[in-house]
C-alpha cells in the first residue's frame, strides 16, 4: 500500500509503535527508500519527489510530529508489527480525530490484537515458507492463530528436513542449549556445512535484504542469511555464543545500537537475538534455541519466518519436538 501512496506523490510515514516493532519498521523504511529511488528515475523535472519518513521514537512524539505534518487534513501512515496496547489505540484514535482523512495501515502477527471499528484483513497464505516448515509450524497452532491456507501455486521443493540438535550427553553443560559451549560448536559445524554443501532449496530461496554487497548475488549461503533466536534475553556470555566463536563462526548479538545493521543485513554475520525483537523479519536459516522455554504461539510464529532451513536445538528431544 505504501508504494501506491508513493506513486500518487504522497508523503509516507513509518511509525515504530514499540521496541518489538523497530526491526521490521526499519527494514520497511529502507525498502521503500529503494523503491522511491526507482520511482524518481521516472520523474520529469517538474514533478515532486516522493518522500518516506521513519518516526523511530515514542508514540506521543510521533503523534506530535504527524499532527504538524498533516497537510490538507490527510495523512498516510504505516505501522508494522504492532502490539495493540492502550498506548497504540490511543495514538490511533487521537490521530483520527486530528486528521479526518487518515490513511493508516497497521500489521500485527498477533491476530487477537485488533482495533474496534477499523477494517481488518487476515493474511494466511504462506508466500515463502517451504512445505516442510509449514508442517512443523502447524504442530503448534493455537486457537488465537489463524491456520495457513493453501499456497495455490506449486512448490518447487519440499524444503530441507528440519534439523534437530539435542543438548545432553558427553561434553554438554548447563540445563539448556543456550548455556552450552558444546551446543554452540555442534550448531556452528552444521551451519558451516550449509555453506560448504548448499542444498538446492537454499539456492532457490531468497532473503529480503537491502545490502548492496556484490556477494549477495552469489548462490552461496551467506552468514547474514542465518538468524539464531532465543525466547529470552541474549548476551555475549552465553555458552552457545562462545561455542560458535570457538569454531570461527562470525556471530553478533542484537542490541539497541545495531538493529538497523541487522534489519538491513549489512554485516555478513550470524545474528543472535531475543525472538520478540525480530518480529516480521525472514531469513533463509532460522535456529530456534530452547523452544520448550517459549509459549506455543511463539513456537508457531518463529518457525513461520524461515524460508528454507529450520534448526531446532533442544534438551534431549522433548515430547513436543519429536
Amino acid at each position: 500500500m505504501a508504494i501506491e501512496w508513493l506513486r500518487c506523490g504522497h508523503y509516507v510515514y513509518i511509525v515504530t509503535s514499540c521496541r518489538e516493532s523497530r526491526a521490521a519498521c526499519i527494514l520497511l523504511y529502507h525498502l521503500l527508500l529503494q523503491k522511491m529511488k526507482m520511482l524518481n528515475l521516472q520523474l520529469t523535472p517538474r514533478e515532486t519527489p516522493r518522500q518516506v519518513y521513519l518516526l523511530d521514537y515514542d508514540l506521543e512524539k510521533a503523534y506530535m510530529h504527524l499532527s504538524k505534518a498533516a497537510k490538507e487534513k490527510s495523512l498516510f501512515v504505516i505501522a508494522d508489527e504492532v502490539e495493540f496496547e492502550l498506548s497504540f489505540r490511543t495514538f490511533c484514535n487521537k490521530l483520527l480525530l486530528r486528521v479526518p482523512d487518515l490513511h493508516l495501515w497497521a500489521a500485527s502477527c498477533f491476530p487477537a490484537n485488533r482495533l474496534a471499528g477499523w477494517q481488518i484483513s487476515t493474511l494466511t497464505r504462506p508466500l515463502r515458507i517451504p512445505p516442510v516448515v509449514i508442517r512443523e509450524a502447524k504442530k503448534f497452532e493455537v486457537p488465537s492463530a489463524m491456520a495457513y491456507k493453501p499456497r495455490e501455486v506449486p512448490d518447487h521443493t519440499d524444503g530441507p528436513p528440519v534439523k534437530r540438535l539435542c543438548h545432553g550427553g558427553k561434553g554438554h553443560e548447563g540445563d539448556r542449549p543456550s548455556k552450552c559451549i558444546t551446543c554452540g560448536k555442534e550448531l556452528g559445524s552444521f551451519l558451516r556445512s550449509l555453506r560448504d554443501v548448499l542444498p538446492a532449496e537454499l539456492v532457490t530461496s531468497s532473503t529480503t535484504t537491502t545490502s548492496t554487497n556484490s556477494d549477495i548475488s552469489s548462490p552461496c549461503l551467506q552468514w547474514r542469511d542465518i538468524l539464531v533466536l532465543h525466547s529470552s534475553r541474549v548476551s555475549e556470555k552465553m555458552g552457545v555464543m562462545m561455542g560458535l566463536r570457538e569454531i570461527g563462526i562470525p556471530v553478533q548479538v542484537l542490541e539497541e545500537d545495531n538493529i538497523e545493521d541487522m534489519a538491513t543485513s549489512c554485516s555478513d554475520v550470524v545474528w543472535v537475538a531475543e525472538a520478540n525483537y525480530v518480529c516480521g523479519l525472514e531469513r533463509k536459516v532460522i535456529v530456534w534455541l530452547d523452544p520448550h522455554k517459549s509459549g506455543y504461539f511463539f513456537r508457531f510464529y518463529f518457525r513461520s519466518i524461515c524460508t528454507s532451513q529450520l534448526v531446532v536445538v533442544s534438551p534431549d528431544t522433548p515430547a513436543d519436538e519429536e
Side-chain angles (χ1 to χ4, degrees):
M1 196 65 229
I3 293 175
E4 292 303 313
W5 292 342
L6 289 171
R7 289 183 184 277
C8 294
H10 301 300
Y11 292 86
V12 175
Y13 298 88
I14 311 298
V15 175
T16 60
S17 59
C18 56
R19 182 186 175 188
E20 290 79 358
S21 72
R22 288 194 66 209
C25 288
I26 288 171
L27 175 58
L28 178 59
Y29 169 69
H30 283 277
L31 291 174
L32 288 176
L33 282 180
Q34 288 184 344
K35 187 64 176 180
M36 185 179 70
K37 291 178 181 178
M38 294 173 60
L39 292 174
N40 285 344
L41 292 177
Q42 303 173 12
L43 296 177
T44 65
R46 295 183 180 181
E47 290 182 294
T48 304
R50 283 77 165 175
Q51 297 194 43
V52 57
Y53 299 91
L54 175 65
L55 305 187
D56 188 17
Y57 36 71
D58 67 72
L59 289 174
E60 186 59 36
K61 289 183 179 179
Y63 169 74
M64 297 301 296
H65 185 118
L66 292 170
S67 295
K68 295 177 181 178
K71 296 181 179 180
E72 298 179 358
K73 299 182 179 180
S74 66
L75 201 61
F76 299 82
V77 180
I78 296 284
D80 201 2
E81 293 301 337
V82 168
E83 287 193 16
F84 290 110
E85 297 178 344
L86 179 60
S87 58
F88 186 74
R89 296 172 188 271
T90 302
F91 166 80
C92 291
N93 291 330
K94 286 174 59 178
L95 201 57
L96 185 58
L97 290 173
R98 171 68 179 81
V99 186
D101 188 20
L102 174 63
H103 302 260
L104 190 153
W105 280 53
S108 175
C109 65
F110 300 99
N113 292 334
R114 300 181 177 184
L115 279 173
W118 291 63
Q119 182 179 344
I120 297 172
S121 295
T122 303
L123 308 179
T124 57
R125 179 182 168 194
L127 298 179
R128 289 168 291 275
I129 312 170
V132 65
V133 176
I134 292 175
R135 292 195 299 271
E136 180 74 9
K138 283 184 175 181
K139 296 179 183 179
F140 302 94
E141 287 181 355
V142 291
S144 61
M146 300 295 292
Y148 285 126
K149 292 181 179 178
R151 197 191 305 268
E152 298 178 354
V153 294
D155 294 296
H156 296 292
T157 67
D158 191 56
V162 176
K163 177 67 175 180
R164 303 183 192 279
L165 299 175
C166 295
H167 170 68
K170 186 177 179 180
H172 289 263
E173 63 234 354
D175 60 348
R176 63 185 66 175
S178 57
K179 298 180 180 180
C180 181
I181 294 177
T182 300
C183 278
K185 292 180 179 179
E186 292 179 357
L187 173 61
S189 295
F190 177 70
L191 297 180
R192 191 178 295 281
S193 74
L194 292 180
R195 286 169 53 94
D196 295 339
V197 183
L198 193 67
E201 291 87 350
L202 291 174
V203 175
T204 56
S205 298
S206 62
T207 298
T208 300
T209 177
T210 61
S211 174
T212 57
N213 294 342
S214 59
D215 59 358
I216 276 295
S217 61
S218 167
C220 180
L221 183 72
Q222 304 297 309
W223 295 122
R224 58 170 61 90
D225 297 326
I226 303 169
L227 178 59
V228 180
L229 300 178
H230 192 252
S231 58
S232 57
R233 188 174 179 82
V234 299
S235 73
E236 297 285 348
K237 297 181 180 180
M238 291 170 59
V240 70
M241 289 285 295
M242 292 186 279
L244 286 167
R245 286 204 171 103
E246 279 191 26
I247 65 169
I249 305 297
V251 62
Q252 178 71 49
V253 168
L254 177 65
E255 298 174 332
E256 286 289 340
D257 60 355
N258 59 24
I259 287 181
E260 183 170 3
D261 187 350
M262 181 269 175
T264 57
S265 300
C266 287
S267 296
D268 190 23
V269 298
V270 174
W271 288 94
V272 180
E274 181 176 347
N276 289 357
Y277 301 131
V278 294
C279 293
L281 300 188
E282 293 181 341
R283 289 295 186 271
K284 291 179 182 177
V285 181
I286 294 292
V287 179
W288 189 236
L289 293 175
D290 303 335
H292 63 296
K293 292 291 183 180
S294 58
Y296 272 90
F297 186 87
F298 284 100
R299 297 189 214 182
F300 164 73
Y301 174 69
F302 288 108
R303 281 167 170 78
S304 70
I305 62 174
C306 173
T307 64
S308 288
Q309 177 72 66
L310 178 62
V311 184
V312 179
V313 189
S314 57
D316 293 326
T317 316
D320 61 8
E321 292 297 330
E322 293 179 349

